[in-house]
Amino acid sequence: METEPPKSKGWFWWLFVFVITTLVIAASVLTLRKNFNRSESKASPAPGHGGAIVHKYAEALNIAMQFFDIQRSGKLVNNQIAWRGNSGREDGTEANLDLSKGMYDAGDLMKFGFPMAFTATVLSWAILEYGEHMKAVKELRHAQDSLKWITDYLINAHPSDNVLYIQVGDPELDHKCWERPETMTERRPLTQINTSYPGTEVAAETAAAMASASLVFKNTNKTYSKLLLEHAQKLFAFADTYRSSYSISIPQVQEYYNSSGYGDELLWAASWLYHATRDQWYLRYVTVLNGNGFANWGSPTWFSWDNKLAATQVLLSRVNFVGSKNIPTAENLGLQMYRETAEAVLCGLLPDSPMATSCRTEGGLIWVSEWDALQYSVASAFLAVLYSDYMLSSQTSTLFCNGELYEPMDLRKFAISQADYVLGENPMKMSYLVGYGSSYPQYVHHRGASIPVDAQTGCGDGFKWLNSSAPNPNVAIGALVGGPFLNDTYIDSRNNSMQAEPTTYNSAFVVSLLSALIATNSPVIRSFA
């Protein structure tokens, strides 16, 4: 009969076995995890922590960025668009200014300062939030160069504190021609705002563009960043001191980019100036001083070139999420009001929310207007994924929508649904981003794209290319066209400017959305300054 081992020896023995076993298991798990992470990073490297590149969005971003190159005016540098050349070299000469740079607005050859500045602001925002994503797919430098092409123009368009040139070209003259930008011959008059003819919304939007861009270039070009911020502060002071809508001061702008009011632009610009300077006065401006007057708290709106309230609410929610320490109580209460209104906007976007908007097609696309329909859907999707990332980064787990709770992933799923619709998952089975996929618009309403490079046509006789039944000889790659009707249909006709005309601000929206969705991970949200 075997003798039972002493109890003390058995206790140490089983403890020893338990410890050794635990260490072996832990080592095995750690090895497996390292191997798993290593294999994942080889397959789909991505910026940040634990994410993977979504290749269809990366490809779409590479394509979308090229439309900014197509729209460039001036002497082109490192031109990658074979059918584009130098143009607009004399713009600004009648005022002894160099306004040759900047970008043409849409399918025409106008430079409208209001939407161009807005394009720069949105592109800056995308770079600031998702620059690491852009860098991972080699588009960050491209985005920065495109932004600088606009801000170089805006700097020159602001020759003195209270003067801003807001337009190059006469729309009536411009629209009597159908020609390539390289061969245009009509007069290119300038339009300015000043103390006698003020324009608060366009001055404020230009201030927002310069303030946000100053943050983009802060670590790579300090001198340029400082110059942009100086212009931004002067323009904001001009906008705020001489309050009047440019649509009233200069009635002829009403036909093209008529403003619905300037309150949103003042809040938008002051918000960007707060981020750029950390000057508490700008925060007080948007909360205590002007929140009640301009913010329209509690009333959701649509983000567009004309209305920046929803975007301002999200941008100031960012402060509430990650930077609200040492902010006075009154300002913090105002920030909370902005955040609550932002969440009302977002609850309206979620299709299953009790607050869901009815402004969408049967195919699931947010749809607000038959003119440039995709502007609203893509802009909404960008705000949704951005807010989702704010929530994740701040470890905010739920969004409350009138009795129902939603997670950050619900906002991201909505954003993905809009992006996928644009890229081809729609009833038409076509991509609305020109150059992406096998089926996309062939008759884009765009002069340069519609006229062969070697065509010998001038102002009036170029209309034969507008009316031609042949597809565009040049692909306006990266253009985001206006988009579908409410019934999810699209008529691919060059004369259908309502649906077939792209804009630079549409490109800014889609670049922002795709940059957010490129990686599966959420970036760490930090202060811009």
Side-chain angles (χ1 to χ4, degrees):
M1 183 176 75
E2 292 186 324
T3 306
E4 183 181 356
K7 294 186 184 297
S8 58
K9 181 180 179 182
W11 183 81
F12 278 108
W13 171 256
W14 290 114
L15 177 62
F16 174 78
V17 170
F18 173 78
V19 170
I20 293 298
T21 303
T22 301
L23 289 173
V24 170
I25 292 173
S28 300
V29 169
L30 183 60
T31 301
L32 287 171
R33 185 175 295 169
K34 286 181 178 179
N35 289 338
F36 178 75
N37 289 340
R38 190 179 297 119
S39 65
E40 272 213 326
S41 64
K42 286 181 179 178
S44 301
H49 44 81
I53 292 293
V54 182
H55 294 289
K56 68 175 178 179
Y57 298 138
E59 179 188 354
L61 177 65
N62 295 146
I63 289 169
M65 281 297 306
Q66 295 181 58
F67 191 64
F68 291 130
D69 300 333
I70 288 172
Q71 296 302 94
R72 288 191 183 195
S73 169
K75 183 179 180 181
L76 303 185
V77 180
N78 299 322
N79 180 29
Q80 301 297 310
I81 308 298
W83 50 274
R84 278 302 325 277
N86 298 334
S87 65
R89 298 285 300 277
E90 302 301 314
D91 286 354
T93 53
E94 70 176 61
N96 295 317
L97 298 173
D98 179 6
L99 300 181
S100 61
K101 282 188 174 182
M103 293 185 184
Y104 300 116
D105 176 61
D108 55 14
L109 304 180
M110 289 295 301
K111 293 179 187 174
F112 292 112
F114 192 20
M116 192 196 305
F118 177 65
T119 297
T121 312
V122 175
L123 184 56
S124 293
W125 200 2
I127 294 170
L128 290 168
E129 302 284 12
Y130 299 110
E132 286 301 311
H133 290 185
M134 292 177 172
K135 186 177 180 180
V137 294
K138 298 179 172 57
E139 286 294 346
L140 177 58
R141 180 65 180 271
H142 193 176
Q144 292 169 331
D145 288 347
S146 297
L147 173 62
K148 191 172 184 294
W149 202 265
I150 297 176
T151 53
D152 284 352
Y153 167 90
L154 295 177
I155 288 171
N156 289 349
H158 183 222
S160 60
D161 290 0
N162 297 331
V163 173
L164 177 67
Y165 285 86
I166 64 166
Q167 186 172 293
V168 178
D170 181 333
E172 288 192 16
L173 292 176
D174 183 85
H175 288 190
K176 289 177 181 177
C177 299
W178 190 268
E179 58 193 340
R180 299 178 68 243
E182 293 80 2
T183 60
M184 60 180 168
T185 57
E186 70 272 16
R187 198 169 68 88
R188 304 270 290 169
L190 307 177
T191 304
Q192 67 167 251
I193 55 172
N194 49 49
T195 56
S196 299
Y197 298 93
T200 295
E201 56 275 275
V202 64
E205 183 58 63
T206 308
M210 290 180 162
S212 57
S214 75
L215 289 165
V216 170
F217 297 109
K218 187 173 182 179
N219 295 323
T220 58
N221 191 336
K222 292 184 183 298
T223 301
Y224 189 68
S225 173
K226 183 179 178 182
L227 177 63
L228 285 168
L229 188 54
E230 289 172 356
H231 277 279
Q233 290 174 307
K234 290 175 181 178
L235 277 166
F236 182 79
F238 172 39
D240 192 40
T241 302
Y242 298 90
R243 289 188 183 182
S244 179
S245 173
Y246 93 133
S247 295
I248 295 174
S249 298
I250 310 171
Q252 56 266 38
V253 305
Q254 295 176 14
E255 188 174 348
Y256 296 94
Y257 284 101
N258 184 41
S259 171
S260 61
Y262 57 71
D264 57 312
E265 279 84 17
L266 285 174
L267 297 177
W268 176 238
S271 299
W272 278 113
L273 280 162
Y274 171 70
H275 281 289
T277 65
R278 287 294 160 179
D279 185 336
Q280 291 288 328
W281 182 84
Y282 291 110
L283 189 60
R284 186 168 179 79
Y285 183 95
V286 300
T287 53
V288 177
L289 299 179
N290 292 286
N292 285 323
F294 294 144
N296 209 14
W297 286 326
S299 299
T301 52
W302 297 105
F303 184 25
S304 71
W305 65 262
D306 181 44
N307 193 332
K308 291 88 181 186
L309 281 181
T312 301
Q313 289 147 10
V314 171
L315 182 61
L316 290 175
S317 295
R318 190 186 208 282
V319 181
N320 192 257
F321 274 121
V322 300
S324 58
K325 291 182 179 179
N326 302 319
I327 291 176
T329 301
E331 282 83 344
N332 252 328
L333 288 173
L335 289 176
Q336 186 61 38
M337 294 296 292
Y338 278 106
R339 179 169 167 180
E340 288 176 7
T341 311
E343 293 186 347
V345 171
L346 298 163
C347 287
L349 299 177
L350 295 172
D352 298 327
S353 164
M355 301 168 65
T357 178
S358 60
C359 296
R360 64 185 89 223
T361 70
E362 288 189 11
L365 182 76
I366 289 292
W367 196 95
V368 178
S369 168
E370 62 184 2
W371 279 96
D372 197 11
L374 287 177
Q375 172 186 190
Y376 301 94
S377 49
V378 177
S380 296
F382 172 59
L383 293 184
V385 70
L386 188 58
Y387 202 86
S388 168
D389 286 338
Y390 290 171
M391 291 178 67
L392 288 169
S393 189
S394 62
Q395 298 182 334
T396 304
S397 59
T398 54
L399 171 68
F400 183 78
C401 299
N402 196 21
E404 297 292 333
L405 295 178
Y406 296 89
E407 299 177 349
M409 186 53 66
D410 293 311
L411 289 171
R412 189 176 186 89
K413 285 178 181 177
F414 162 75
I416 288 171
S417 74
Q418 303 302 288
D420 288 350
Y421 186 108
V422 168
L423 298 180
E425 292 184 22
N426 56 64
M428 295 293 291
K429 304 300 181 186
M430 65 176 289
S431 166
Y432 290 103
L433 181 67
V434 176
Y436 182 87
S438 58
S439 175
Y440 49 81
Q442 301 295 308
Y443 296 83
V444 178
H445 183 90
H446 189 278
R447 297 178 192 188
S450 69
I451 304 174
V453 174
D454 57 356
Q456 301 298 313
T457 55
C459 167
D461 57 349
F463 279 99
K464 67 182 180 182
W465 301 109
L466 170 65
N467 299 316
S468 169
S469 60
N472 287 351
N474 309 309
V475 179
I477 189 165
L480 182 67
V481 296
F485 287 132
L486 181 57
N487 63 359
D488 291 301
T489 63
Y490 179 85
I491 300 170
D492 193 9
S493 168
R494 203 177 290 115
N495 269 299
N496 178 19
S497 57
M498 181 184 291
Q499 290 188 290
E501 187 169 17
T503 62
T504 50
Y505 47 90
N506 273 13
S507 291
F509 281 137
V510 78
V511 161
S512 301
L513 175 58
L514 293 169
S515 298
L517 296 177
I518 278 175
T520 57
N521 66 296
S522 172
V524 177
I525 304 300
R526 299 185 179 91
S527 171
F528 292 141

